[in-house]
Amino acid sequence: MSISPAKTLSPAELAKLEHAFASDPSSAAYKPLAEAYLSMGRFMEAMVVCKKGVKAHPNAADPRLLLARVYAEQGKDKKALEEALGALQVQPDDKAALRMAGALQLKTGEAEPGKANLLKAYTVDPGDPDTVTLLQQHKIEPPRPAAPAPVAAPVAPATPGPSATQQSAAALSNVASTAGTQSPAAKPAATQAAKPAPSARAEAPAPRSAPPQRRPQVVVEEVDEDEDDEPVSRRRASSGGSGGSKMVTLGLLVAIPLFAIGYGWYSANARTKSRELKKSLDAASELLKHDSFDSYKKAVEAADLALEVDADSAVAHGYLAYAWAIRWGEHGGGDDARRQAEEHLAAGKESGELSSHLIASEALIQTYSGKGKDALGQLEEKVKGLDAQGRSSSLLYLTLGLIQMNAGDLDRSRDSLDRAQGLSPDDPRTYASLGAVYRRLGQDAAAWRNYDSALRYEKDHPESLLGRSLLMLEQDSPNFGLAHTMLKKLLESDPPPSPRQLAAAHLARSLLISRVSAAMTDLKPDMQQKLAEATAVPQDKDKARSEMLKSEETGFSLDKQNPELHLIKGRRLLAEGNYDAAVEEIRKAIRMDASRAQFYVELAKALMGKQGGEKEAAESLQTALKTMGDSPKLVVMLGNAYRRQGKLDEALAQYQRAVKDPKAKNPEARLAMGAIYRERSKWDLAQEQLEKASQEFLGQSDRAAMALTELGRVFQSKGDAAKADETYQRALNADEAYSPAYFHYATLLAKDSKQGAKAKMLAQEYLKRDPSGEHASAARSLAGG
């Protein structure tokens, strides 16, 4: 239920908001401040600010809704519902309050009130995509539009006009156009309105009495003229007892029942088609949410059925374009999938209707065609425009996050995916994508949590099983048994995942065999046997290697066009210390798809693992940046490559380039700059960057500890022992496993004779955690031997 703010505030911006709120708690500053706290997970502070906002603005719904979001984010649905209902008490027609209250009531078991509130929210704004999505999720049919007002039969003027026969035909046409649309209550009024007005001349004959109201009324007006001047044909037509009038009346008596029967058949047929269309579209929408190869195939079938009912349905074309785009770009569907995606995109755009699936599919098709930069710029503008209209779309934020991740802009990708998750908190595809971005950010615990969430919402979600397996195999001490269990489930699942996912699973199995074989060399025979049984990896090294190569061969035979397979193989070779072969595999991936920033990151890692590979890594990153523009991740990697070569000025220039956008967070760049400034004794500049880095490493305990340790060294070098002591303690509180903090804290305390025992203890703790570390020799001296 929560929605992250559109941008992440810098520490300075947050401090400014805190100051504004403290200066005037009754102002509107509560809202951005509470949203900032909420996005940072600081729930207690967000709740306090929201409650003050409620007190200061008792007649506004916004503060109560914001407080409801704070509670909902913590899983306190009943408290969230209380606040949402409180918002409705002060603003009964607020669509956001109606939507949130309805969703929470349905979640907590209050079905009827929840349904009523969602329908009311729809009535307030039928075009709101979030309300429509919730109605579809809970299978609630929106109210049908009211019938149009009946059209009264026209009254003929007293001046000469058309013949009675012509007027009868016109009246019948009018009845045909309105029949079936008038409600029973409206019919008497329509009949009364259709009666002829009195003639303006006294000698005019009295009008005929109206027929019974049970059937549509047809009025035939007579023309009031001097008989001597009137043509014979007209006199006959206007004569009440003439044969022509009887013919018309007889014709009407025959035509009207036939029309009623025909219109009844047409209406019934239209209703049947409408039900069939809705059923197929609802089925396609539900299937798309499952995010599996099988569900995308079935979604295509359901949307095709919808097109059989309505060939011009923009919604159906949007679903098809989206499903085929994913089948092409993510599941290796080939040229046919691409053609289908492009054709349905074109057909959907011809309708002129706005559809989030059409927008998303267009961006994905561009990205998979190697035009990711264009896709990113266009999609960002569309998302911004919809936000300004209050029509934010979780699907578009998800798509934006995926494209940003592909471009290497991991921090913004995470922010976009967080927003998507807030708008649609039960979407497994969003959680799996967050798992991928956190994995690339090096935040393994957060990545694991998100993959786990995806698997809770979608049992055996293929992409999450694969992601968790690869994440586990990247750990220093993996749970090999768990990785084997997940890969086995993926490889043996029915229905099977896509050939592309199966291929990646085989490559992951190859990586597992390689790592298990390496781990066995340090184990006793009985432990080797247990590990072999838990992972199905042979103890015999030759057999294990044969199985490893067979798994790789199977994977590449399933999907020859997937560059990710070369990346996984490159990681295996890198883990085995075969840097040259690893570099070659990653280069193969880049040759297949030069648009993915992550491939260059992996290549740079492999090159910098080689002796003297830093220069080649820098050249590779420069080429990538020329092709793709300023990817923050690539810029930081380039700075690191220069730093490894001792080119500190060039390194600083790249780090500064990475943080030139004041709204962007890039703590890695700030950490590196702070360390360089510390080495150059530029204490104030070092302190500024390291303080920002420690604040921006939100949720990354190990990186925050690293930044705080560097900051402690700055204070220590400045001679501010008290501040250094406090900062080292903060580093250890952030992550007690970060060993350098123990060593540097020990060096500070060793200068104080009263703190000798504590310094010795800290040095011993460092050696216990990292006996062969960079500072091991100096730590032994401090530890007393």
Side-chain angles (χ1 to χ4, degrees), residues 130-403:
D130 293 329
T131 304
V132 173
T133 299
L134 283 170
L135 289 173
Q136 290 175 345
Q137 284 177 355
H138 295 284
K139 297 181 172 59
I140 299 171
E141 186 172 353
R144 294 181 179 179
V151 180
V155 178
T159 53
S163 69
T165 305
Q166 291 170 323
Q167 293 184 55
S168 298
L172 178 58
S173 175
N174 184 50
V175 171
S177 68
T178 59
T181 64
Q182 298 178 12
S183 65
K187 286 182 181 179
T191 304
Q192 183 67 31
K195 289 182 179 180
S199 173
R201 297 177 61 173
E203 65 268 28
R208 298 178 186 273
S209 60
Q213 294 180 2
R214 286 194 301 272
R215 53 188 175 182
Q217 181 167 355
V218 180
V219 179
V220 181
E221 290 284 332
E222 293 184 16
V223 180
D224 183 20
E225 294 181 350
D226 288 335
E227 279 193 340
D228 293 340
D229 299 329
E230 185 180 19
V232 173
S233 60
R234 181 169 296 188
R235 287 203 302 272
R236 287 177 179 172
S238 63
S239 172
S242 70
S245 178
K246 288 179 180 179
M247 291 287 289
V248 170
T249 303
L250 181 61
L252 290 176
L253 289 173
V254 173
I256 290 170
L258 289 175
F259 169 78
I261 293 168
Y263 187 80
W265 174 86
Y266 171 80
S267 298
N269 188 53
R271 285 194 297 272
T272 300
K273 284 191 171 184
S274 179
R275 284 195 297 269
E276 289 175 357
L277 179 64
K278 183 179 183 303
K279 181 181 177 182
S280 297
L281 290 176
D282 286 349
S285 175
E286 187 63 31
L287 287 161
L288 287 175
K289 294 176 189 174
H290 294 295
D291 189 41
S292 69
F293 183 59
D294 184 63
S295 72
Y296 286 121
K297 287 198 296 184
K298 289 178 178 176
V300 164
E301 293 168 4
D304 278 337
L305 289 175
L307 286 184
E308 289 179 11
V309 179
D310 180 2
D312 298 322
S313 170
V315 176
H317 282 300
Y319 289 164
L320 284 161
Y322 184 72
W324 281 114
I326 290 174
R327 288 177 65 175
W328 168 47
E330 297 179 23
H331 296 295
D335 291 338
D336 181 59
R338 177 178 184 170
R339 179 183 58 78
Q340 294 270 15
E342 291 174 339
E343 286 179 0
H344 285 292
L345 173 62
K349 289 173 74 174
E350 279 182 12
S351 71
E353 295 180 29
L354 179 67
S355 160
S356 57
H357 283 87
L358 284 172
I359 296 171
S361 59
E362 183 172 28
L364 290 175
I365 290 168
Q366 282 184 298
T367 300
Y368 300 143
S369 301
K371 301 174 183 176
K373 192 173 180 180
D374 293 339
L376 186 58
Q378 292 170 19
L379 186 56
E380 282 176 340
E381 285 300 312
K382 288 173 182 174
V383 167
K384 194 182 298 182
L386 288 170
D387 281 352
Q389 300 171 30
R391 297 163 65 90
S392 300
S393 165
S394 61
L395 177 67
L396 297 186
Y397 269 107
L398 165 61
T399 307
L400 181 61
L402 289 170
I403 296 173

Side-chain angles (χ1 to χ4, degrees), residues 452-473:
D452 198 46
S453 294
L455 289 164
R456 282 204 303 272
Y457 284 109
E458 185 66 34
K459 188 175 182 292
D460 298 337
H461 184 247
E463 201 62 32
S464 297
L465 284 174
L466 183 60
R468 285 215 303 182
S469 302
L470 290 169
L471 177 63
M472 178 61 73
L473 293 172

Side-chain angles (χ1 to χ4, degrees), residues 533-563:
E533 290 172 357
T535 59
V537 174
Q539 285 180 261
D540 182 272
K541 286 191 174 183
D542 290 336
K543 287 183 179 179
R545 184 160 186 81
S546 175
E547 282 197 17
M548 180 189 75
L549 295 175
K550 185 178 178 181
S551 289
E552 281 187 358
E553 183 182 351
T554 302
F556 281 111
S557 67
L558 282 170
D559 188 6
K560 294 181 173 63
Q561 304 303 317
N562 186 5

